[in-house]
Amino acid sequence: MKKANLKKIVAFVVLSLVLVGFIGFVEKQTLYKTFQGTEIDIEGVSGVYFVEDAEIAKILKEAFPDLKAGLMLEEVPMKAIETRLLGHPFVKSVEAMLGQKGILNLKISQHQPIARIAQPMGADGYITTEGKVIPTSTSYTSRVLILEGDYAERLMDKGEINADMPELMDLITFITEDEFWNAQITELEVNSKDNIRLFQQVGRQIIEFGDAHDIENKFDRISVFYKEILPRKGWNAYNRVSVKFKDQIVCE
């Protein structure tokens, strides 16, 4: 009799544990079918963040007020979230993924500024590595090549420079990717497509570059000016150097 009762007790305990486990499994599965929160991963540009986690969270809260814990996962507007975040000027790409625990993972990459358009009578803008013109950031200021002049200001309205003057992007890229020229050339004055002037970190000479074609040859001639003419004449001997004419260096 006691043995039979013991078996009943053991069977009851086992069934109870199975029932508790089943309830826990169902609750867990239900939990995983609902939105539980957001994790934001922003890829920095050389350790710099032009857009921050708090800014992304604020955009999500304002644009998607129903995105709260408990929302069924199938109701999370993944494509709409990606589209909205891509509207941020510094966001280059967005990948939205739902994790197993109901967490919305956002992987965000940023545009990288390569130059800055300075406007004395208006807001400045950055030129990205893709040639896109975007507003400056309130979070961080990047020290990059400066562009000024009438034509440079016109690029702000166009929104990008590759369609109108792709050779200018070639010039900017050439300067920024070369260690010496990136340190030495601080500013481009772009008044028209064929009237570009360079300003230096060291040396008072204004370098008349002309148009943005034949870039390597022109910089080779500027190198000759540095290596052969300045050592003989001195850094303050000239106010203007021109390489805009083919195979010539004009010093005044």
Side-chain angles (χ1 to χ4, degrees):
M1 189 68 177
K2 291 182 178 180
K3 189 173 182 180
N5 290 336
L6 180 61
K7 287 183 177 180
K8 290 180 180 180
I9 293 172
V10 171
F12 176 76
V13 171
V14 171
L15 288 173
S16 298
L17 291 174
V18 171
L19 181 60
V20 170
F22 179 74
I23 292 172
F25 175 78
V26 172
E27 289 181 346
K28 189 175 183 180
Q29 291 303 308
T30 302
L31 175 66
Y32 287 179
K33 290 181 180 179
T34 60
F35 173 74
Q36 297 300 310
T38 305
E39 289 185 358
I40 301 170
D41 178 18
I42 301 176
E43 181 183 357
V45 177
S46 302
V48 174
Y49 294 86
F50 297 96
V51 56
E52 299 176 340
D53 291 10
E55 189 175 358
I56 295 298
K58 182 180 179 182
I59 292 173
L60 292 176
K61 183 178 180 180
E62 293 177 351
F64 305 97
D66 294 332
L67 190 63
K68 298 178 182 178
L71 181 69
M72 298 303 293
L73 292 184
E74 59 264 27
E75 296 180 16
V76 177
M78 305 281 284
K79 290 298 182 183
I81 289 172
E82 290 180 343
T83 301
R84 175 63 185 84
L85 295 180
L86 284 172
H88 190 289
F90 267 96
V91 172
K92 180 179 179 181
S93 67
V94 182
E95 185 179 3
M97 298 174 291
L98 282 169
Q100 293 182 348
K101 296 183 179 181
I103 300 297
L104 174 63
N105 298 291
L106 296 175
K107 187 173 182 181
I108 298 172
S109 65
Q110 304 176 101
H111 282 296
Q112 180 176 350
I114 194 174
R116 181 180 183 126
I117 299 174
Q119 299 189 109
M121 303 300 292
D124 291 359
Y126 283 127
I127 298 174
T128 71
T129 50
E130 294 82 22
K132 184 178 180 181
V133 179
I134 61 176
T136 54
S137 171
T138 56
S139 302
Y140 190 86
T141 299
S142 183
R143 297 183 64 182
V144 291
L145 182 69
I146 300 296
L147 271 69
E148 291 186 332
D150 294 340
Y151 198 87
E153 292 185 32
R154 285 172 54 191
L155 295 173
M156 286 292 298
D157 298 328
K158 295 180 179 295
E160 59 95 25
I161 68 174
N162 285 320
D164 192 60
M165 194 177 176
E167 66 272 21
L168 177 60
M169 193 64 199
D170 293 337
L171 175 59
I172 293 171
T173 302
F174 180 90
I175 293 172
T176 55
E177 290 185 351
D178 184 280
E179 184 177 359
F180 176 77
W181 296 121
N182 188 45
Q184 174 66 351
I185 305 300
T186 59
E187 180 184 326
L188 305 183
E189 182 183 279
V190 188
N191 291 308
S192 65
K193 288 187 176 183
D194 59 357
N195 184 11
I196 301 172
R197 304 201 302 172
L198 314 184
F199 292 82
Q200 311 166 84
Q201 179 72 32
V202 179
R204 70 179 188 180
Q205 302 87 8
I206 296 173
I207 301 174
E208 294 183 351
F209 202 79
D211 59 30
H213 296 289
D214 200 20
I215 295 171
E216 290 191 25
N217 182 275
K218 289 180 179 180
F219 273 100
D220 285 343
R221 281 179 273 155
I222 297 172
S223 294
V224 171
F225 172 72
Y226 285 161
K227 295 175 182 178
E228 299 181 15
I229 299 175
L230 286 180
R232 292 186 288 107
K233 298 293 185 177
W235 278 92
N236 296 320
Y238 302 105
N239 293 319
R240 183 180 70 90
V241 177
S242 176
V243 293
K244 63 182 181 180
F245 301 109
K246 187 174 177 60
D247 298 328
Q248 294 185 36
I249 305 173
V250 179
C251 305
E252 294 182 354

